[in-house]
Amino acid sequence: MPATVRIPTPLRNHTDGKDAVSADGATIAEVIDDLDKNHPGIKAKLVDDKGVRRFVNIYIGDEDIRF
């Protein structure tokens, strides 16, 4: 089942201006990889060598995955 990924304004240049896009994956890493496959360059804005950047908010439903 595809995930709906909401894109903040500063990253919309990677998604042709779209504020939400779909991405497939069973894990957050797979969703980010699929997102980058369809919107090249966005992954570098979302993750670094330590993982998901601290200013990136990821929710499953209403639940923040960091907590």
Side-chain angles (χ1 to χ4, degrees):
M1 177 176 214
T4 299
V5 180
R6 303 221 185 272
I7 308 297
T9 303
L11 297 179
R12 290 182 189 164
N13 60 318
H14 293 283
T15 61
D16 298 322
K18 295 177 185 168
D19 64 351
V21 296
S22 291
D24 290 315
T27 66
I28 298 300
E30 289 176 3
V31 169
I32 291 173
D33 285 340
D34 190 59
L35 189 62
D36 195 59
K37 181 179 79 175
N38 294 312
H39 307 284
I42 199 166
K43 182 176 180 176
K45 302 292 185 182
L46 301 176
V47 299
D48 59 20
D49 58 338
K50 297 175 187 170
V52 176
R53 294 179 187 270
R54 62 187 169 105
F55 63 84
V56 175
N57 299 316
I58 299 177
Y59 294 85
I60 297 176
D62 292 333
E63 191 98 13
D64 187 332
I65 67 164
R66 293 174 289 188
F67 302 108

